[in-house]
Amino acid sequence: QVQLVESGGGLVQAGGSLRLSCAASGRTFSSRAMGWFRQAPGKEREFVAIISWSGGSTYDADSVKGRFTISRDNAKNTVYLQMNSLRTEDSSVYYCAASRDLGWSNPSRLSDYDYWGQGTQVTVSS
């Protein structure tokens, strides 16, 4: 069992930065890849980024490449999403998710994740 709690969301102006955190409980955190997704009103949940169990590999969606950075600290059971150069289109509820595996084959496939946090709202104003 893994429980995930996101934090760090809020209101920021375009061009600004936020860092999201996802605190995990459960002994299997360090043996799972971890992902971030986002969902805007009326839209499907969208893949943002994923990090392997060790933190040695990451993969970002094209829409955030070069602006967002995913990282993790297994000693603290926490995964982070540093978001820079934020745009109004980044406004969404952001969710972290625990993969069923150490790495990934299709990081955007929702069914590859078996635990999800409750989400944290990010709003970017123009």
Side-chain angles (χ1 to χ4, degrees):
Q1 185 85 5
V2 177
Q3 292 184 321
L4 305 172
V5 179
E6 301 97 335
S7 62
L11 174 64
V12 64
Q13 286 190 326
S17 298
L18 281 175
R19 187 174 83 153
L20 305 183
S21 299
C22 174
S25 64
R27 293 180 298 169
T28 63
F29 171 80
S30 60
S31 63
R32 295 171 176 263
M34 295 293 296
W36 284 97
F37 287 75
R38 64 188 183 186
Q39 188 167 20
K43 294 189 176 182
E44 294 186 350
R45 193 162 295 191
E46 174 190 25
F47 168 75
V48 174
I50 189 169
I51 188 167
S52 63
W53 70 276
S54 66
S57 297
T58 63
Y59 180 75
D60 304 324
D62 288 345
S63 59
V64 305
K65 206 175 293 285
R67 300 187 298 123
F68 291 11
T69 302
I70 188 171
S71 61
R72 69 189 296 163
D73 185 339
N74 285 346
K76 295 182 179 180
N77 274 17
T78 303
V79 62
Y80 305 97
L81 185 68
Q82 177 67 43
M83 306 186 295
N84 299 328
S85 301
L86 282 161
R87 305 168 180 168
T88 55
E89 56 263 38
D90 294 319
S91 296
S92 283
V93 177
Y94 282 73
Y95 299 90
C96 68
S99 172
R100 300 177 189 275
D101 209 345
L102 297 170
W104 57 87
S105 57
N106 184 349
S108 61
R109 186 164 55 205
L110 299 182
S111 60
D112 282 8
Y113 302 84
D114 54 356
Y115 296 102
W116 294 82
Q118 83 291 347
T120 185
Q121 176 71 49
V122 172
T123 304
V124 184
S125 64
S126 59

